Amino acid sequence: MEKKTIVIGVIGADVHAVGNQILYHAFSDAGFNVVNLGVMVSQEEFINAAIETNADAILVSSLYGQGELDCRGLREKCDEAGLDHILLYVGGNIVIGKQPFEEVEQRFRAMGFDRSYPPGTPPEVDIADLKKDLHIED
Amino acid sequence: MKPVLLIDFGSTYTKVTAVDVDAPRLLGTANSYTTVQTDINNGLADALSRLEARTGKLDYSERYACSSAAGGLRMLASGLVPELTAEAAKTASLGAGAKVLKTYAFKLTEDDAEEIKALSPDIFLLVGGTDGGNSDCITHNARVLKEIGGSWPIILAGNRNAARECERILEGREVHICENVMPKFGTLNIEPTQREIREVFLNNIVKAKGLTKASELISGIMMPTPSAVMAAMKLLAEGTKAQKGMGDLIAVDVGGATTDVYSVAEGLPDDPRTALRGLPEPYIKRTVEGDIGMRYSIRGIIEAAGLERVAETAGLAPERLSRIVDTFAENTDMLPCDDETQRADEALASWAVRVAVTRHAGRLEEIFGLGGLKLVQTGKNLVNVDKFIVTGGSLIHTEHTRDIASYGFYDEEEPESLKPKQCDVLVDRSYIIAAMGLLSKNYPDAALTILKEELKTETR
Ligand code: B12
């Protein structure tokens, strides 16, 4: 079967590089074609990369607590750029401090993110979700 | 003695250069008007007889030529995202010595189609999508090109998974399939496309531009003039097995209609912690500023730099400068004829250099975020380049070449622009750079010796 393409990166002025590397290896090993934009990635860079590579999903990382601000408007810009219905996931430490995750998830859903993940989610969980969402069978 | 003749069919002048490759030295140069409308050989014969008057009769063992006559190599390019494949297409075309009339991004519109038809390029470069990536855009654009008709060749260098389909869509057209200019996201692969552009130039364009008659006289190499300039700059920077090069350099050619900037340098950040943004940069890069030139595009200089600032540099009142600019724009052959026009010309050249080098050079941004300061570089870091080569009438025919060139240096007031800090300025007074690029193909050592001899370092 044709490989699905995903774009990953750490959004905003965030330099936490370790999780991003782990995600890159985990998703590549799971059979995805991973376009890794690294750290300090702007919304525009996520979108441009997704357009050229015809990506199926964008996985945004945010670790430093500014996730909500940095992610705002990404879905709208995707719509604008013709990336209709592209899957948007977000994970890391996406908000400041400890907040009930259901509320956080709701806020990110309202912003157009299909899935969001609490701190420390192991890659197996998101890989399984992505395969489900993209109708990939093992 | 083994004399070799180098010919540059320019848009206005045909320049001929005679060199001895045995004991490498310049024997002489001459020029005459380019006569592409009638028979290109007339202008050439004229230039050659002038050359002979200077050098005496020479029995040339070889003759090589480059050309930017009849509009140069006129190209159009289309890609997908402006900052990505469209930019890659433009970079590839400029680096192959083309004059890029326009670069399109995303799907071509009906208006674009009309414009393309009217412009009727020498070559169309069609790209878009990484390998296995987006194919909608490039196939759509192939259909638009098919609709437009015409007989210009199309070079296809986009998503390889869409290449065959595009070829089918364009059946009946001359199509050259190349490797993708951006096979993987964020990588640049422009050499195959550049080789193809040169091939097509040799096989089709030379003929179409009335240069075949001349090509009977020529021993082989025929290339667009900017390619010859790039070859010369690469040679000068890198040297040969036998001779050391000068290392990283920048060259600026301020013309009447455009200003070309070349850099030979990796251009990586000084601080390895700096994050790099944007497309990778080619080691040899050429940019062309279509709005910056000393006559046809003189108003572009004023627009980019501001009348007040240029007037201040010239030491003239803005109204006076404005009138001189009008006069130059209307009389494109006009040379400075008195103190005021000379000062205006030099100030305009200074700002042309400044604007063009600033656009060519990369930028370093400081981002203050959580956890302190972060550096982000886009484009090439040219701060450490220490050779600055200049050519073009307004810079050659003045004593103030170094002052004019220094407008292209690093400026404390604009520290984000990564222009060179300390440079020797070398001037191409005998106008031999393109000729030495041609010669470098078969006689690199002779070409390098002559370049080093003829490019004179300006002292303050
Ligand atoms: C190392 C580290 C740093 C290093 C980073 C070095 C580097 N270049 O990578 C340095 C010292 C630079 C740093 C700086 C800062 N840090 Co710090 N840092 C950490 C630390 C200790 C570890 C991060 C790490 O590498 N984890 C290991 C990796 C494997 O885990 P991960 O990043 O979480 O990623 C995994 C999952 O989260 C998930 N995941 C991640 N992204 C996504 C995306 C999707 C879609 C999915 C599905 C899953 C997913 O998968 C990954 C792999 O398993 C954490 C605390 C912690 N223990 O997490 C704080 C932490 C992230 N930092 C924090 C802060 C506040 C900062 C600073 C603002 C501190 C400051 N004031 O200077 C700066 C910010 C700098 C910046 N501009 O980015 C806070 C963030 C608080 C918040 N979000 O509320 C943390 C949580 C510490 C804390 N408890 O306060 N930091």
Side-chain angles (χ1 to χ4, degrees):
Chain A
M1 201 199 70
E2 213 178 296
K3 274 192 178 184
K4 297 284 183 186
T5 299
I6 64 169
V7 174
I8 69 168
V10 187
I11 200 166
D14 196 334
V15 299
H16 293 91
V18 184
N20 168 261
Q21 276 303 321
I22 291 180
L23 288 179
Y24 173 70
H25 290 295
F27 277 89
S28 299
D29 291 347
F32 289 91
N33 174 28
V34 187
V35 175
N36 186 4
L37 305 180
V39 299
M40 294 177 77
V41 180
S42 68
Q43 292 192 355
E44 287 71 23
E45 286 170 302
F46 277 109
I47 289 169
N48 287 344
I51 294 175
E52 291 279 7
T53 61
N54 205 24
D56 302 285
I58 297 176
L59 272 63
V60 178
S61 290
S62 177
L63 283 305
Y64 69 164
Q66 302 280 316
E68 229 170 324
L69 266 176
D70 290 340
C71 289
R72 202 166 287 159
L74 181 61
R75 172 58 80 189
E76 288 76 5
K77 282 197 193 131
C78 284
D79 290 344
E80 198 75 57
L83 292 171
D84 307 340
H85 316 299
I86 190 166
L87 283 173
L88 289 183
Y89 287 10
V90 60
N93 297 289
I94 58 180
V95 290
I96 300 173
K98 297 219 175 350
Q99 305 182 24
F101 200 72
E102 297 77 60
E103 287 171 26
V104 173
E105 196 172 11
Q106 244 171 29
R107 294 210 299 274
F108 276 85
R109 186 173 295 282
M111 281 160 62
F113 283 82
D114 299 281
R115 291 181 187 270
S116 23
Y117 295 87
T121 311
E124 298 80 61
V125 177
D126 21 280
I127 289 172
D129 287 343
L130 188 62
K131 286 188 169 170
K132 200 162 90 200
D133 289 350
L134 293 174
H135 313 291
I136 301 173
E137 272 148 49
D138 277 311
Chain B
M1 183 155 89
K2 187 175 176 189
V4 170
L5 178 69
L6 295 321
I7 309 161
D8 175 6
F9 295 108
S11 46
T12 316
Y13 295 107
T14 295
K15 298 162 211 136
V16 289
T17 306
V19 298
D20 177 9
V21 293
D22 265 350
R25 70 194 168 103
L26 185 66
L27 298 171
T29 64
N31 59 45
S32 178
Y33 282 103
T34 296
T35 50
V36 76
Q37 259 76 25
T38 51
D39 179 343
I40 195 140
N41 284 321
N42 297 342
L44 177 60
D46 201 31
L48 284 176
S49 66
R50 287 181 198 189
L51 182 63
E52 198 176 296
R54 282 170 208 175
T55 61
K57 196 151 182 58
L58 290 170
D59 187 14
Y60 296 112
S61 64
E62 283 149 73
R63 298 175 172 81
Y64 302 114
C66 60
S67 167
S68 53
L73 170 55
R74 299 167 64 256
M75 284 187 65
L76 288 173
S78 77
L80 177 50
V81 174
E83 298 87 348
L84 298 172
T85 48
E87 181 67 21
K90 183 176 174 187
T91 304
S93 309
L94 287 173
K99 178 168 170 181
V100 181
L101 307 172
K102 191 157 179 181
T103 312
Y104 301 92
F106 303 114
K107 291 184 176 169
L108 293 168
T109 65
E110 282 179 46
D111 289 337
D112 296 338
E114 274 173 29
E115 189 177 55
I116 293 166
K117 188 169 184 170
L119 287 169
S120 180
D122 296 327
I123 299 178
F124 196 104
L125 175 59
L126 178 61
V127 316
T130 53
D131 285 346
N134 183 292
S135 56
D136 283 2
C137 179
I138 196 168
T139 49
H140 168 92
N141 290 351
R143 265 178 231 110
V144 173
L145 294 187
K146 171 77 178 177
E147 281 281 299
I148 294 171
S151 60
W152 22 272
I154 296 166
I155 296 180
L156 202 67
N159 181 357
R160 65 187 286 269
N161 302 68
R164 281 304 182 88
E165 190 180 344
C166 290
E167 194 183 28
R168 274 195 295 276
I169 293 168
L170 288 163
E171 220 199 300
R173 288 295 293 271
E174 181 183 335
V175 175
H176 302 258
I177 299 186
C178 268
E179 283 172 35
N180 195 344
V181 289
M182 188 184 285
K184 272 174 65 180
F185 179 82
T187 60
L188 205 56
N189 173 42
I190 56 180
E191 290 80 16
T193 297
Q194 294 180 326
R195 275 197 296 275
E196 200 63 39
I197 293 173
R198 267 174 234 135
E199 278 292 302
V200 175
F201 175 78
L202 262 182
N203 297 337
N204 307 32
I205 320 280
V206 168
K207 190 160 41 171
K209 304 237 170 209
L211 300 170
T212 8
K213 281 192 186 149
S215 70
E216 287 159 17
L217 301 173
I218 293 162
S219 339
I221 301 162
M222 184 82 183
M223 56 171 103
T225 305
S227 291
V229 173
M230 287 176 91
M233 290 302 104
K234 180 168 187 278
L235 175 73
L236 189 61
E238 292 181 338
T240 63
K241 278 201 197 87
Q243 281 182 76
K244 258 187 78 142
M246 286 185 173
D248 291 356
L249 56 82
I250 294 179
V252 183
D253 180 357
V254 184
T258 63
T259 297
D260 290 24
V261 181
Y262 304 80
S263 61
V264 187
E266 295 291 352
L268 295 174
D270 291 339
D271 181 341
R273 284 168 303 180
T274 308
L276 276 170
R277 278 286 161 265
L279 277 187
E281 292 287 329
Y283 164 64
I284 307 178
K285 179 171 181 160
R286 169 176 177 242
T287 50
V288 178
E289 304 312 325
D291 61 332
I292 304 294
M294 294 301 294
R295 293 295 177 270
Y296 299 94
S297 317
I298 194 167
R299 294 186 213 279
I301 303 176
I302 298 292
E303 217 160 276
L307 182 66
E308 302 284 326
R309 284 206 289 181
V310 185
E312 199 189 314
T313 306
L316 294 170
E319 305 73 47
R320 180 73 195 115
L321 177 68
S322 185
R323 248 171 289 128
I324 296 175
V325 165
D326 289 341
T327 316
F328 278 144
E330 281 149 31
N331 305 283
T332 51
D333 314 335
M334 185 177 157
L335 295 173
C337 51
D338 55 23
D339 178 57
E340 285 197 337
T341 47
Q342 181 66 34
R343 267 161 40 203
D345 205 61
E346 290 180 10
L348 285 156
S350 303
W351 284 95
V353 170
R354 165 80 178 226
V355 171
V357 177
T358 303
R359 290 184 191 164
H360 182 97
R363 302 186 81 75
L364 188 67
E365 256 184 295
E366 295 182 338
I367 297 178
F368 290 93
L370 289 166
L373 178 70
K374 302 282 160 342
L375 296 174
V376 179
Q377 178 182 321
T378 39
K380 282 177 123 171
N381 172 18
L382 302 173
V383 167
N384 307 312
V385 171
D386 62 359
K387 297 283 181 287
F388 197 104
I389 292 141
V390 293
T391 180
S394 298
L395 279 95
I396 294 180
H397 304 125
T398 160
E399 287 158 21
H400 303 127
T401 310
R402 197 189 152 87
D403 298 332
I404 298 174
S406 70
Y407 274 74
F409 294 0
Y410 183 86
D411 182 355
E412 303 283 337
E413 311 256 294
E414 201 190 351
E416 65 278 13
S417 175
L418 300 173
K419 296 194 286 282
K421 273 197 170 141
Q422 285 205 323
C423 272
D424 293 335
V425 174
L426 289 87
V427 194
D428 181 22
R429 293 224 191 270
S430 30
Y431 224 94
I432 47 124
I433 290 182
M436 291 311 108
L438 277 170
L439 187 66
S440 74
K441 295 289 158 178
N442 290 341
Y443 298 98
D445 275 299
L448 184 55
T449 306
I450 297 170
L451 272 174
K452 284 182 176 169
E453 178 62 34
E454 293 298 322
L455 293 180
K456 301 276 193 279
T457 305
E458 282 294 291
T459 42
R460 223 181 267 273

